[in-house]
Amino acid sequence: MELVYVRMRNRVHVRQEQELFVKDVARIIGPDDIVKTLEQTKLLKVSRADNNIIIIDLIHMIQCIRNVDPTIEVQTLGPAQTIIEVIYEKRRFSILSFLAVWFLLFIGAGITIMNFHVDVSMQEVHQKLFKMITGREDTKPLLIQIPYSFGLGLGMILFFNQFFKKRFNEEPSPLEVEIFNYQQDLDQYVIMHENKESIRHLDDR
């Protein structure tokens, strides 16, 4: 009896009508001749009926391996499911859409920052700081407000650790961490609701 180790991938991107083989969905370690045979085993072919999400369960993978050779002993590692995401052709980039989204985000972010500054009385703080530094009173202390505005923008760039496509270091930004956590929760939801094997209604007739 031969022993093989199987580790399912977390997510695989495919296109419509593409054929999926075992090597595309899982990594297999074992005797070279068996691994080569298993890797070339066809799992499924993506069709329009599959929509954009397919779940490959570990049980399905083991059944596929056992169909090739029933004497193979399978040891599993890692996740129990692989999410197959069907990628459709991207729409052409629209300058008007980009400008509209950019304008809405710019206005929204500006209003948010201004409302925050009103809530914390930032103008009064700047006036007091200006008086402490210069000894003079000024209702519009531009000497404080202008550097503060530039510093606010620079601080946001450093906080998000990215300026356009340039990264300052390999550490993930808080936004990337939040997106990762959101993706993890989304994957769990998809696995639970798309995987019919994990849901069984005992009252079905």
Side-chain angles (χ1 to χ4, degrees):
M1 181 179 290
E2 298 290 353
L3 174 65
V4 296
Y5 294 90
V6 177
R7 180 182 177 87
M8 303 284 285
R9 304 183 192 277
N10 288 309
R11 180 179 290 267
V12 177
H13 293 166
V14 299
R15 297 191 179 277
Q16 280 188 338
E17 306 302 325
Q18 182 175 339
E19 293 184 343
L20 276 178
F21 298 90
V22 169
K23 65 179 180 179
D24 300 321
V25 178
R27 183 180 180 188
I28 301 178
I29 297 178
D32 291 341
D33 55 338
I34 295 178
V35 170
K36 289 180 179 179
T37 301
L38 293 177
E39 286 182 339
Q40 297 302 322
T41 302
K42 180 180 176 180
L43 277 177
L44 57 89
K45 182 176 181 179
V46 180
S47 64
R48 291 185 178 274
D50 294 320
N51 296 322
N52 64 324
I53 293 291
I54 308 169
I55 302 296
I56 302 294
D57 196 270
L58 185 57
I59 297 298
H60 179 69
M61 178 64 68
I62 294 175
Q63 288 177 340
C64 183
I65 293 174
R66 300 279 292 178
N67 289 338
V68 175
D69 188 347
T71 64
I72 294 178
E73 180 181 352
V74 181
Q75 291 287 339
T76 62
L77 304 168
Q81 297 91 8
T82 297
I83 299 175
I84 309 298
E85 183 176 355
V86 183
I87 304 299
Y88 296 94
E89 293 184 3
K90 294 183 179 180
R91 296 179 179 179
R92 292 183 178 180
F93 180 77
S94 173
I95 296 294
L96 291 178
S97 298
F98 170 79
L99 292 177
V101 172
W102 179 88
F103 180 75
L104 289 175
L105 292 176
F106 180 80
I107 297 299
I111 292 175
T112 301
I113 293 174
M114 288 189 291
N115 287 336
F116 168 76
H117 285 167
V118 171
D119 289 339
V120 299
S121 303
M122 186 63 69
Q123 185 173 4
E124 295 180 9
V125 172
H126 286 171
Q127 291 171 353
K128 291 180 179 179
L129 285 175
F130 183 79
K131 185 176 181 179
M132 290 172 59
I133 295 173
T134 64
R136 295 184 293 106
E137 291 188 0
D138 191 345
T139 57
K140 296 181 179 180
L142 298 181
L143 188 63
I144 299 293
Q145 292 176 337
I146 292 177
Y148 171 79
S149 299
F150 283 104
L152 183 64
L154 180 61
M156 293 181 66
I157 292 174
L158 295 177
F159 179 77
F160 288 110
N161 190 29
Q162 189 165 347
F163 184 69
F164 291 100
K165 293 185 179 182
K166 180 176 176 58
R167 297 175 61 92
F168 301 106
N169 53 56
E170 296 182 357
E171 181 180 348
S173 69
L175 180 61
E176 290 173 322
V177 173
E178 287 301 320
I179 292 175
F180 174 80
N181 291 332
Y182 170 76
Q183 187 65 55
Q184 292 289 96
D185 294 339
L186 186 62
D187 288 348
Q188 289 299 318
Y189 177 87
V190 168
I191 287 172
M192 288 299 298
H193 288 77
E194 293 289 336
N195 188 8
K196 308 305 181 189
E197 300 283 337
S198 64
I199 301 175
R200 184 180 182 186
H201 299 284
L202 296 180
D203 58 346
D204 286 348
R205 294 180 181 179

